[in-house]
């Protein structure tokens, strides 16, 4: 009987410790940058939108091939696979020629998916490669379960910045699978004499994260029992690199000029956060003179978020919002919340579109008028707003904005607009996605349960 009460007490401790620190969302008390900070005229280099998994892999490999001093990678999720082998083969080759490689991976997803795979030891034990986990969770410290690192970017020397919403495995990168998560990244390429301010901002942020006390080194010590497997993995990666056909990119031809780029991010600690990214983005959207197009995979709003987005809709002549339909979305918790919250989302006042494509869209972007583009890791949901670290880059460039809006229109061509009654405005060639009855029943049941913890969704 004593053992039962001890177990029950421990279970209560774990559940309360994981949930209670995040129950109360924090109102924003700070200040945001004025719009003028983002609309500066100058030469900030060149940029391009990367929309496909093949582009995501090819650009990474080409950047690594041209690296001379350092490669910094931050990602939410890495999993074994063919694209991962390609990337680590290129990283090992860069390290062999003296490039310093540093990688930060979210601790929870690293523990789940990287595990003890020999290829990660082959990389992490290389003298020029370091890998760290951000906030690996511990059941004895249950508050570490939340407060994840959701950042996704690559920084190569002071020449390349690649930022977006794409995780690092085959579902998102490369063209190895039929099933693909649709996503978006932006590449910033620094030309001779261009302003490298955004590179300095991201590098400073990376150093802050790297030195964060919750980060810990992994894969640097090879267990004796794995020695042989790790040596074999290192050799296999070397042989894989020799077979890679890495193209040398014409960066000037592929990219368009940008006038300014600014980096924004959430706080870096693991606890409940002030919603800096949300506050900055809503302030920027409110300044739009003509229109705003907001693309987010999911929308899960607190009352403050509803208010902020409603203010955007009230102030901006045209406000369009595109999200996954419940059937298309791959986040069942967010889909379940939307099933109940859809009327409130409609009351925001934006023209609401639901993506009906075969696969989920995972991009996170905003186009403001015809000259400002925002791309990164931030979803318009409670978790990205109040719980996780998030990174976004804001770019002033009419040419890049035109690229981004072209991508948006391609998604709208596979979407249906939500009518006032909650149904859909008919569109030729687009059908409403249908869910299997079992999935529909699961999401309907989950929509009730999720109310208890929607502040973590």
């Amino acid at each position: 009987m004593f053992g039962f009460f001890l177990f029950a007490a421990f279970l209560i401790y774990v559940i309360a410790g994981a949930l209670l620190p995040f129950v109360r969302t924090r109102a924003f008390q700070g200040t945001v940058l004025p719009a003028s900070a983002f609309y500066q005229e100058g030469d900030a280099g060149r940029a391009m939108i990367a929309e496909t998994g093949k582009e995501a892999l090819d650009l990474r490999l080409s950047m690594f091939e041209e690296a001379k001093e350092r490669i910094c990678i931050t990602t939410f999720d890495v999993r074994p696979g063919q694209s991962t082998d390609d990337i680590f083969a290129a990283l090992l080759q860069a390290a062999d020629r003296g490039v310093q490689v540093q990688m930060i991976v979210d601790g929870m997803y690293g523990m789940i998916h990287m595990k003890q795979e020999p290829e990660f030891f082959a990389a992490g034990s290389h003298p020029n490669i370091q890998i760290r986990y951000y906030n690996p969770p511990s059941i004895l410290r249950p508050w570490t379960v939340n407060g994840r690192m959701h950042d996704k970017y690559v920084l190569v020397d002071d020449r390349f910045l690649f930022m977006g919403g794409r995780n690092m495995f085959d579902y998102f990168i490369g063209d190895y699978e039929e099933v693909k998560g649709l996503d978006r990244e932006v590449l910033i390429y620094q030309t001779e004499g261009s302003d490298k301010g955004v590179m300095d901002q991201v590098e400073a942020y990376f150093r802050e994260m790297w030195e964060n006390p919750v980060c810990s080194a992994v894969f640097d010590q090879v267990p004796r029992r794995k020695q042989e497997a790790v040596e074999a993995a290192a050799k296999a990666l070397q042989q894989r690199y020799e077979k890679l056909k890495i193209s040398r990119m014409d960066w000037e031809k592929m990219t368009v000029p940008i006038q300014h780029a600014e980096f924004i991010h959430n706080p870096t600690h693991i606890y409940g956060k002030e919603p800096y990214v949300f506050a900055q983005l809503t302030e920027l959207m409110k300044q739009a003179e003509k229109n705003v197009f907001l693309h987010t995979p999911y929308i899960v709003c607190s009352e403050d978020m509803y208010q902020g987005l409603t203010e955007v809709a009230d102030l901006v002549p045209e406000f369009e919002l595109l999200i996954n339909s419940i059937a298309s979305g791959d986040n069942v918790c967010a889909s379940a919340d939307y099933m109940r919250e859809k009327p409130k989302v409609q009351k925001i006042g934006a023209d609401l579109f639901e993506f009906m494509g075969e696969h989920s869209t995972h991009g996170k972007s905003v186009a403001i008028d015809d000259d400002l583009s925002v791309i990164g890791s931030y979803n318009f949901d409670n978790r990205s707003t109040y719980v996780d670290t998030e990174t976004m880059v804001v770019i002033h460039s009419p040419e890049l904005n035109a690229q981004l809006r072209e991508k948006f229109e391609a998604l709208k061509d596979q979407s249906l607009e939500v009518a006032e009654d909650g149904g859909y405005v008919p569109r030729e060639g687009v059908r409403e996605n249908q869910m299997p009855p079992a999935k529909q029943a699961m999401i309907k049941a989950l929509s009730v349960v999720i109310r208890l913890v929607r502040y973590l969704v």
Side-chain angles (χ1 to χ4, degrees), residues 296-310:
T296 180
Y298 337 108
I299 184 163
V300 182
C301 290
S302 66
E303 291 305 317
D304 286 347
M305 293 174 68
Y306 277 127
Q307 179 180 336
L309 292 174
T310 301

Side-chain angles (χ1 to χ4, degrees), residues 214 230 245 269 283 287 377 415 426:
V214 302
V230 171
K245 297 178 181 179
H269 58 76
E283 184 63 26
Q287 306 303 315
S377 68
S415 304

